[in-house]
Amino acid sequence: MSLLDIYVLGAPILRQETRVVEKVDDGVRRLIDDMFETMYAAKGIGLAAPQVGRSERVAVIDIDQKPYVIVNPEILQREGTQRAEEGCLSIPEIYGDVDRAAHVHVKALDRNGEAFELQADELLARCLQHEIDHLHGRLFIDYLGLLKRRAAISKWEKLRKGDKSLTRTISPREVAEQHTRDEEL
Ligand code: NI
């Protein structure tokens, strides 16, 4: 397994549509393993393929030590609403309140290419919606009001101090110290 660089806000791949995975083969499983390793090192709870520069429709999630792989996920049903603060590994240290469905019913393929369905509430439901958005080129800041979105982007640019790089390299030790506050997806 290897740690992958994470693409950050401004990288075009984060805005692109992913492509359907035709067959969950060893190459896709290697990507899944690398994504888990990268997500854990970055102290995230979710990571989608475009965030590591890939265009496969694949995301990984781990909430309370329960890992989920979703390949070609689709939301079949949404119910209710919930609002909570969200962050993203591709926009580190930026957070904002996002309205999401309270409950989702999702279908996807697992790491063996087997179809499964999942009913989720609360944080898992939020995380599924956030990651599935990534697979369609959407980011959580898109849901913020205009002023809050502008404030988030300007804070992000300030934190970057003129750095124009489109990826960040995850160093497990460094990141573990940095992120003590919130969960990023
Ligand atoms: Ni994210």
Side-chain angles (χ1 to χ4, degrees):
M1 287 200 281
S2 42
L3 280 180
L4 306 171
D5 284 349
I6 294 184
Y7 284 68
V8 297
L9 185 62
I13 191 146
L14 292 177
R15 292 309 195 172
Q16 289 162 15
E17 182 65 42
T18 50
R19 57 182 166 77
V20 170
V21 173
E22 299 293 344
K23 185 171 186 293
V24 183
D25 57 15
D26 287 346
V28 174
R29 277 185 282 275
R30 193 170 318 121
L31 171 63
I32 289 166
D33 291 341
D34 289 346
M35 285 171 63
F36 270 117
E37 193 185 8
T38 303
M39 179 185 77
Y40 292 133
K43 303 285 175 206
I45 59 172
L47 186 67
Q51 294 182 274
V52 293
R54 299 281 292 253
S55 56
E56 290 92 336
R57 193 162 297 167
V58 172
V60 299
I61 292 172
D62 191 326
I63 291 172
D64 297 331
Q65 281 150 26
K66 197 153 186 245
Y68 297 90
V69 173
I70 48 171
V71 177
N72 302 339
E74 270 179 62
I75 297 179
L76 301 175
Q77 209 183 336
R78 305 166 192 260
E79 272 169 38
T81 57
Q82 57 165 322
R83 169 174 285 204
E85 191 173 66
E86 234 167 86
C88 180
L89 291 172
S90 291
I91 323 173
E93 294 172 73
I94 302 298
Y95 303 92
D97 285 336
V98 180
D99 290 325
R100 298 282 189 187
H103 176 90
V104 288
H105 179 187
V106 171
K107 74 165 184 177
L109 304 179
D110 67 14
R111 62 175 292 126
N112 298 312
E114 302 285 340
F116 70 98
E117 293 187 14
L118 183 60
Q119 305 273 352
D121 298 293
E122 298 178 0
L123 183 58
L124 181 57
R126 171 172 298 279
C127 197
L128 284 162
Q129 291 168 82
H130 179 115
E131 301 314 328
I132 292 170
D133 270 354
H134 271 301
L135 300 177
H136 300 292
R138 287 191 293 270
L139 301 173
F140 84 90
I141 55 168
D142 302 346
Y143 295 98
L144 304 179
L146 182 61
L147 293 178
K148 283 190 173 155
R149 186 162 68 244
R150 277 193 190 147
I153 291 168
S154 94
K155 186 178 175 200
W156 160 249
E157 278 164 1
K158 215 167 176 180
L159 284 168
R160 301 247 289 163
K161 297 189 183 89
D163 182 0
K164 298 270 183 252
S165 52
L166 295 180
T167 60
R168 65 186 184 113
T169 301
I170 302 302
S171 129
R173 195 161 30 87
E174 207 180 287
V175 173
E177 284 162 10
Q178 224 175 33
H179 295 282
T180 48
R181 192 183 145 217
D182 273 290
E183 287 145 333
E184 290 174 336
L185 302 86

